[in-house]
Amino acid sequence: MDIPNLNGDIFRNMSFIENRSPVETKQLQFLKIYDERNALLGGTNMVDIYWNGTLWYYKDISDFSREKAVACRRMDSGVCDVVYLNKHRFVSVEDSGAVQIYEMSQTEQQFEHVAYACQHEDSILSVSMFSNHRNIVTGGMDCCLKVWDVEDLISTYSYSFAHSDIITGVDVKPMCNSIFVSASLDNESLLWDIRRAKPANCIFRRANCPLTAVSWNTTSNDLIAIGTADGNIVLIDIRQTETPLYEYAECDGRGVHKLLFNPNPERKEQLACCFDSTSVKVFDACREMLQLYEDNSHSDFVRGLAWYEDDVYSCSWDANVFKHVVN
């Protein structure tokens, strides 16, 4: 008689598993748009025996249906996020704790594997790239922050237990190669400068309220938006962190999942946001978080956001990608 807790292993090793068709990856996690002819979509399969993921590459952002992808790659673990290094090369971070570099082939029909490293001890949830396009920072469920040199894919700085709970987001300072911000479920957001002997400084703390998202304004050196588990969005000026610039409270209390400032310098005040809900919203960070746009077209949690030419694109666990025209 088999021991009950070994039944899962027995089921996974049954021969029919290898011969069956792969389950479609429905739960979309992120969307990255380089330009109108270059975009990446990623998802994690959360309903199958194996927790794995899929990457899709598109040469036309007008249609993100899976059959329109020009290249597709099945991953051995869930894919949490990616960041472009250049037009043809990008870094993926995964549930396994792996950091991998891929490059699109010259025909742009397949992913070519470049490098692999696994130095995190748990899932990596967030990645951001410094302006030199050579260094990235990663953070995740092992409470560790790592700064990487992607030329050799080695971690040049490693901050074990940088937070006392899961790190939910990291974002680098614009036009800077040494400063970044992190947010964590330990209720704190820290400002990091890797040049200093004591690199971390707390810029925001909320008692009994985990922090779930962070975004640095792409054209401002001083403005940071932080999201909380109870649905608040807090604007911080890092020159004076004692009092937040402004705080917006979501009426239904759904946790903030992702924040993203518009990279267009002429629209730098626009802040896109998705929650643990079907909603996509855009706020004006310079006008007391005036709501500029809201859409509830998705039928499941929205997980990924991307800006392109002042429009917001969103992807969701409902397998859909929508374009939002923000007037």
Side-chain angles (χ1 to χ4, degrees), residues 1 15 102 127:
M1 180 177 179
S15 60
Y102 292 94
V127 59

Side-chain angles (χ1 to χ4, degrees), residues 29-35 38-42 55-58 61 64 80-84 90-91 126-128 258 260 304-308 313 315:
Q29 294 284 86
F30 63 84
L31 173 65
K32 300 291 181 179
I33 300 176
Y34 188 88
D35 57 36
N38 191 332
L40 290 165
L41 181 66
L55 276 173
W56 296 272
Y57 171 72
Y58 292 85
I61 64 172
F64 281 101
C80 299
D81 204 356
V82 302
V83 63
Y84 275 99
F90 64 92
V91 178
S126 185
V127 59
S128 186
K258 189 174 182 63
L260 192 64
L305 297 172
W307 284 97
Y308 186 71
Y313 292 75
C315 66

Side-chain angles (χ1 to χ4, degrees), residues 187-205:
N187 312 332
E188 289 189 343
S189 179
L190 303 180
L191 186 66
W192 296 80
D193 189 338
I194 61 177
R195 299 168 298 181
R196 297 181 177 179
K198 294 182 178 180
N201 177 44
C202 182
I203 60 171
F204 181 72
R205 179 184 291 109

Side-chain angles (χ1 to χ4, degrees), residues 83-86 89-91 99 101 115 127-138 146-157 172 176-178 194:
V83 63
Y84 275 99
L85 299 177
N86 56 46
R89 182 172 288 201
F90 64 92
V91 178
V99 176
I101 299 178
V127 59
S128 186
M129 181 177 64
F130 290 101
S131 60
N132 61 8
H133 288 231
R134 174 165 180 166
N135 298 107
I136 61 171
V137 57
T138 57
K146 290 182 181 291
V147 177
W148 300 78
D149 183 331
V150 295
E151 293 287 330
D152 303 309
L153 199 58
I154 58 173
S155 58
T156 53
Y157 296 89
V172 301
C176 180
N177 298 323
S178 59
I194 61 177

Side-chain angles (χ1 to χ4, degrees), residues 47-163:
V47 297
D48 197 15
I49 301 169
Y50 297 100
W51 190 292
N52 50 30
T54 308
L55 276 173
W56 296 272
Y57 171 72
Y58 292 85
K59 295 185 68 176
D60 182 1
I61 64 172
S62 64
D63 187 352
F64 281 101
S65 56
R66 302 310 95 81
E67 59 270 15
K68 295 294 184 180
V70 297
C72 175
R73 183 181 179 94
R74 295 281 180 178
M75 312 295 284
D76 292 333
S77 69
V79 188
C80 299
D81 204 356
V82 302
V83 63
Y84 275 99
L85 299 177
N86 56 46
K87 184 175 183 179
H88 300 291
R89 182 172 288 201
F90 64 92
V91 178
S92 74
V93 296
E94 304 176 10
D95 279 322
S96 63
V99 176
Q100 304 204 58
I101 299 178
Y102 292 94
E103 190 169 81
M104 295 309 300
S105 63
Q106 292 184 354
T107 60
E108 296 184 335
Q109 298 296 318
Q110 63 181 1
F111 297 96
E112 294 181 350
H113 190 260
V114 177
Y116 169 93
C118 189
Q119 297 183 20
H120 279 277
E121 296 181 356
D122 210 327
S123 301
I124 305 173
L125 301 181
S126 185
V127 59
S128 186
M129 181 177 64
F130 290 101
S131 60
N132 61 8
H133 288 231
R134 174 165 180 166
N135 298 107
I136 61 171
V137 57
T138 57
M141 296 183 70
D142 60 357
C143 309
C144 177
L145 287 167
K146 290 182 181 291
V147 177
W148 300 78
D149 183 331
V150 295
E151 293 287 330
D152 303 309
L153 199 58
I154 58 173
S155 58
T156 53
Y157 296 89
S158 184
Y159 304 106
S160 299
F161 300 104
H163 286 270

Side-chain angles (χ1 to χ4, degrees), residues 282 292-293 307 309-313 322-327:
V282 178
L292 305 175
Y293 177 87
W307 284 97
E309 292 189 344
D310 295 334
D311 297 325
V312 178
Y313 292 75
F322 293 141
K323 176 182 177 180
H324 308 273
V325 179
V326 182
N327 295 325

